């Protein structure tokens, strides 16, 4: 999940394309007409979007362009790089990355919920730089392809959002959200309420450990027993405003049945993305400790994906080992497909790593890519949040985690 870029800070070592992404946001303007004069007004970003700031309400006034014509000058020269025949089978002979919408601040936390009937569903994404969550109605593939009729224009779902980061559905289809400044995991049970109005705020699922507030929950995943596993680095406490973290940077397991919160993976520098392996026998956890604060990058610190065994009790982790180091930059959000391949957001796009830890291919994006998620009726559409633009690509594999159904229609 994105650390500091969304708040105007660029870690050392970042690419010029990522810098241009932020420059593009800074110059995004909305023209206001007063009398005979025109002036350009930029929606506030960053700390100005936090509750209590007089400008916070204006952070809702973001100009989102649906179905954009993406400039060739900003497109990657090679959108797909295959490093192994395994990857060619995944993307097919003619992969097609489709830009769905642009104009966001910095996208995170995509998650898809399908409708009870038909091929449609809703994709939710978080916009950290504007402290918002957006929803996009997905109508499905047309003759097996993504076309302009496959989706509708994104709409503001919730603002403020606690600077929402990673998201996932629980087993009932409720939306769980890791909130950076909210310092909690929230649960949205009444999705219909926010589809009508972005004002309703979600209640807290869990927000403290041993009487101390969580640092800044980053990403989360739900196990088939209903437990919620999430990462809690101290990125939020470093900037909102800077303040000491109350807890170590832990990975937790929360059981909604008995409301117990337990540390399952201490000792990581900055725990970030998280995902279960096949059969939930293993757990992948990203450590993005190479990023420690605004305008920092320490290559000797972790930019790694670690793999743990889940013991027979289903509650305990053991045998931590390195799965892969990711560069340039650091790994962020990740998902797995049905074959056990790991898809991870990086500075240059999406890296796809096979179960043996080998990099087999890349989706090169023009801008830094934080997060991704599988979705669609057949769970074979990869939704990608790349800086200010939301993309989708149809694959020849399905996501490992089954798609949950929206509980209320």
């Amino acid at each position: 999940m994105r650390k500091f870029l969304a708040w105007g800070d660029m870690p050392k070592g970042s690419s010029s394309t990522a810098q241009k992404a932020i420059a593009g946001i800074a110059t995004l303007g909305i023209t206001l007409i007063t009398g005979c004069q025109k002036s350009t007004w930029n929606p506030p970003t960053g700390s100005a979007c936090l509750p209590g700031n007089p400008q916070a309400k204006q952070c809702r006034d973001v100009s989102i362009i649906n179905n954009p014509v993406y400039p060739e000058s900003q497109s990657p020269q090679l959108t797909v790089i295959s490093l192994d025949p395994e990857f060619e089978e995944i993307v097919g002979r003619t992969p097609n990355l489709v830009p769905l919408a642009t104009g966001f601040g910095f996208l995170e936390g995509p998650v898809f919920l399908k409708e009870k009937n038909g091929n449609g569903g809703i994709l939710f994404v978080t916009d950290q730089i504007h402290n918002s969550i957006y929803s996009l109605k997905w109508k499905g593939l047309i003759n097996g392809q993504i076309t302009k009729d496959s989706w509708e224009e994104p709409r503001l779902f919730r603002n403020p959002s606690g600077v929402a980061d990673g998201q996932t559905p629980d087993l009932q289809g409720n939306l769980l959200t890791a909130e950076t400044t909210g310092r909690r995991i929230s649960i949205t049970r009444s999705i219909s309420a926010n589809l009508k109005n972005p004002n309703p705020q979600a209640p807290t699922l869990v927000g403290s450990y041993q009487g101390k507030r969580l640092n800044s929950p980053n990403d989360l995943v739900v196990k088939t027993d209903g437990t919620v596993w999430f990462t809690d680095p101290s990125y939020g406490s470093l900037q909102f405003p800077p303040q000491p973290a109350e807890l170590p940077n832990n990975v937790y397991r929360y059981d909604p049945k008995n409301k117990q919160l337990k540390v399952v993976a201490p000792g990581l520098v900055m725990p970030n993305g998280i995902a279960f392996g096949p059969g939930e026998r293993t757990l992948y956890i990203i450590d993005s400790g190479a990023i420690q604060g605004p305008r920092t990058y320490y290559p000797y610190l972790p930019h790694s994906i670690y793999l743990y065994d889940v013991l027979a009790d289903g509650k305990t982790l053991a045998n931590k080992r390195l799965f892969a180091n990711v560069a340039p930059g650091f790994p962020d959000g990740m998902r797995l497909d049905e074959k056990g391949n790991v898809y991870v957001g990086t500075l240059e796009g999406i890296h796809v790593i096979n179960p043996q830890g080998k990099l087999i291919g890349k989706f090169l994006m023009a801008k830094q890519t934080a997060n991704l998620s599988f979705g669609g009726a057949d769970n074979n559409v990869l939704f990608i949040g790349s800086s200010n633009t939301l993309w989708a690509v149809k694959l020849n594999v399905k996501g490992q985690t089954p798609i949950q159904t929206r509980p209320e229609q």
Side-chain angles (χ1 to χ4, degrees):
M1 313 337 228
R2 193 62 190 107
K3 307 303 157 290
F4 303 99
L5 184 62
W7 300 86
D9 295 301
M10 176 64 62
K12 291 179 181 178
S14 297
S15 72
S16 60
T17 54
Q19 293 171 339
K20 290 177 182 177
I22 295 304
I25 296 301
T27 57
L28 177 63
I30 296 176
T31 300
L32 304 178
I33 302 177
T34 306
C36 296
Q37 296 181 339
K38 292 184 179 181
S39 62
T40 299
W41 174 79
N42 295 325
T45 60
S47 59
C49 294
L50 298 180
N53 191 295
Q55 294 181 291
K57 284 281 187 180
Q58 298 173 3
C59 297
R60 300 180 175 195
D61 300 327
V62 178
S63 179
I64 304 299
I65 302 172
N66 191 54
N67 189 27
V69 178
Y70 204 74
E72 291 185 7
S73 61
Q74 295 183 33
S75 297
Q77 292 296 313
L78 295 171
T79 57
V80 176
I81 291 183
S82 178
L83 303 174
D84 190 278
E86 292 179 79
F87 187 69
E88 296 172 14
E89 294 177 7
I90 291 171
V91 299
R93 296 181 62 87
T94 56
N96 184 26
L97 280 163
V98 179
L100 305 183
T102 192
F104 302 96
F106 195 90
L107 289 176
E108 279 278 10
V111 60
F112 185 86
L113 290 175
K114 63 182 179 181
E115 304 285 2
K116 290 182 179 178
N117 301 309
N119 296 323
I122 301 177
L123 178 72
F124 300 92
V125 292
T126 63
D127 182 348
Q128 286 198 303
I129 203 170
H130 293 118
N131 194 16
S132 297
I133 302 175
Y134 283 86
S135 66
L136 178 149
K137 184 175 181 180
W138 182 257
K139 296 190 288 186
L141 301 176
I142 309 298
N143 295 323
Q145 301 298 321
I146 301 172
T147 77
K148 62 182 178 61
D149 296 318
S150 294
W151 75 95
E152 294 183 358
E153 183 177 358
R155 297 171 54 188
L156 186 64
F157 180 75
R158 177 153 71 95
N159 175 282
S161 70
V163 186
D165 204 324
Q167 299 189 111
T168 194
D170 66 11
L171 300 185
Q172 293 72 44
N174 301 311
L175 183 63
L176 304 184
T177 304
E179 298 186 10
T180 303
T181 59
R183 300 176 69 173
R184 64 180 186 146
I185 304 296
S186 65
I187 178 167
T188 303
R189 296 185 179 92
S190 181
I191 290 174
S192 294
N194 282 95
L195 289 174
K196 297 175 183 176
N197 188 321
N199 290 322
Q201 294 297 296
T204 298
L205 182 69
V206 58
S208 63
Y209 177 67
Q210 296 183 342
K212 297 179 180 179
R213 296 186 68 190
L214 297 174
N215 295 333
S216 52
N218 191 288
D219 200 7
L220 67 170
V221 64
V222 174
K223 199 167 179 282
T224 53
D225 62 3
T227 55
V228 182
W229 301 56
F230 67 93
T231 59
D232 187 37
S234 54
Y235 286 121
S237 65
L238 291 172
Q239 54 182 330
F240 300 125
Q243 56 188 298
E246 297 180 29
L247 293 164
N249 294 338
N250 292 322
V251 180
Y252 295 96
R253 173 186 180 273
Y254 177 72
D255 190 340
K257 296 176 183 177
N258 56 28
K259 299 184 179 179
Q260 288 187 348
L261 183 64
K262 301 288 186 181
V263 176
V264 291
L268 294 170
V269 181
M270 285 290 188
N272 196 324
I274 185 169
F276 280 106
E280 298 179 336
R281 298 183 297 272
T282 55
L283 182 70
Y284 295 85
I285 303 177
I286 286 172
D287 191 338
S288 55
I291 300 294
Q292 282 289 302
R295 301 184 183 279
T296 66
Y297 184 77
Y298 302 98
Y300 59 88
L301 289 177
H303 42 97
S304 310
I305 306 174
Y306 292 103
L307 187 58
Y308 296 75
D309 292 328
V310 180
L311 298 186
D313 64 2
K315 304 177 181 179
T316 311
L317 301 179
N319 190 26
K320 173 188 173 185
R321 66 266 192 198
L322 179 67
F323 174 69
N325 283 318
V326 176
F330 57 92
D332 207 326
M334 63 179 165
R335 293 289 189 273
L336 274 70
D337 69 20
E338 60 187 343
K339 297 182 178 181
N341 298 306
V342 177
Y343 298 63
V344 59
T346 73
L347 183 66
E348 62 181 358
I350 302 295
H351 287 190
V352 181
I353 306 170
N354 73 7
Q356 291 71 47
K358 177 185 176 182
L359 178 64
I360 61 172
K362 301 178 181 180
F363 294 96
L364 288 184
M365 313 300 292
K367 301 174 182 178
Q368 181 163 0
T369 302
N371 218 328
L372 61 146
S373 185
F374 284 90
D378 295 322
N379 203 11
N380 63 343
V381 176
L382 188 67
F383 295 102
I384 301 171
S386 182
S387 187
N388 66 334
T389 303
L390 180 63
W391 298 77
V393 58
K394 179 192 172 186
L395 302 179
N396 292 330
V397 294
K398 298 181 180 181
Q400 174 186 263
T401 304
I403 298 297
Q404 297 294 337
T405 300
R406 179 183 159 196
E408 48 172 341
Q409 305 293 307

